[in-house]
Amino acid sequence: MRDALWEFALNLYALPGVADDCLVLQAQGEDVCLLLCLCWLERRGIARSTLAVEQLRELASPWQNEVITPLRLLRQQWRDAAQRDERLTALRDQLKQLELHAEQTLLQRLQAACETWPAGQPAVWLTALPVLQSATNRPLLQRLQQALQQAKLS
């Protein structure tokens, strides 16, 4: 399977401001992998439905909650101690790579679930996330939508 969603996610994440916005949303409890998948669907012009969004959320949530989040929390817990312990720094780096691999795995699963969905009336997928509907996060939504226009589809 070609990792089209993974490649798109890396490209989008590297655009100015996107990584920072994703970290803000992650701190608010949003699943950034799901967010990146919705960006990919929006960029590809896939028609949006409530059922499709729910299907992706149901697929992503267990992996996010049981695999990615625990790895991230452990890595974050080790941040201060790793600054004083060279061996812990090395373990923390390995943990970060494992977390990244877990995110890639989730993106592969999301892609497998939706890559054959047909194009339709282009839709704004990002507003399917309640966190992006708040007035506080409206600037993040606007920046992400602008970045989407620059992101490359492979």
Side-chain angles (χ1 to χ4, degrees), residues 4-154:
L5 175 52
W6 173 249
E7 292 167 16
F8 172 82
L10 291 176
N11 177 267
L12 179 63
Y13 203 82
L15 292 175
V18 173
D20 291 337
D21 288 345
C22 286
L23 292 175
V24 167
L25 293 170
Q26 182 177 288
Q28 294 177 27
E30 193 52 61
D31 180 341
V32 172
C33 290
L34 179 61
L35 169 78
L36 293 169
C37 181
L38 298 182
C39 287
W40 185 61
L41 292 168
E42 185 169 325
R43 183 71 172 84
R44 290 177 52 223
I46 304 301
R48 178 182 137 189
S49 74
T50 304
L51 181 62
V53 173
E54 191 55 38
Q55 180 184 352
L56 293 173
R57 189 176 293 284
E58 286 177 9
L59 175 64
S61 289
W63 190 260
Q64 185 64 240
N65 295 333
E66 297 168 19
V67 179
I68 296 171
T69 299
L71 291 170
R72 180 177 301 119
L73 290 174
L74 183 57
R75 180 179 54 81
Q76 291 170 343
Q77 287 172 2
W78 288 358
R79 181 180 296 132
D80 291 338
Q83 292 176 356
R84 299 179 303 275
D85 186 329
E86 196 174 293
R87 289 183 179 165
L88 187 56
T89 298
L91 286 173
R92 188 172 181 271
D93 289 343
Q94 290 176 357
L95 191 57
K96 186 175 184 177
Q97 289 305 310
L98 186 58
E99 179 186 345
L100 190 61
H101 185 69
E103 289 172 335
Q104 182 178 14
T105 299
L106 177 53
L107 289 173
Q108 289 168 337
R109 290 175 178 193
L110 290 168
Q111 177 181 328
C114 67
E115 69 185 334
T116 61
W117 292 353
Q121 208 48 256
V124 178
W125 282 80
L126 294 179
T127 57
L129 300 175
V131 71
L132 285 173
Q133 294 175 9
S134 75
T136 306
N137 288 331
R138 196 154 293 128
L140 277 77
L141 174 61
Q142 292 170 342
R143 284 193 301 269
L144 285 169
Q145 288 176 322
Q146 288 172 349
L148 270 179
Q149 301 312 308
Q150 300 170 35
K152 294 178 185 143
L153 287 171
S154 53

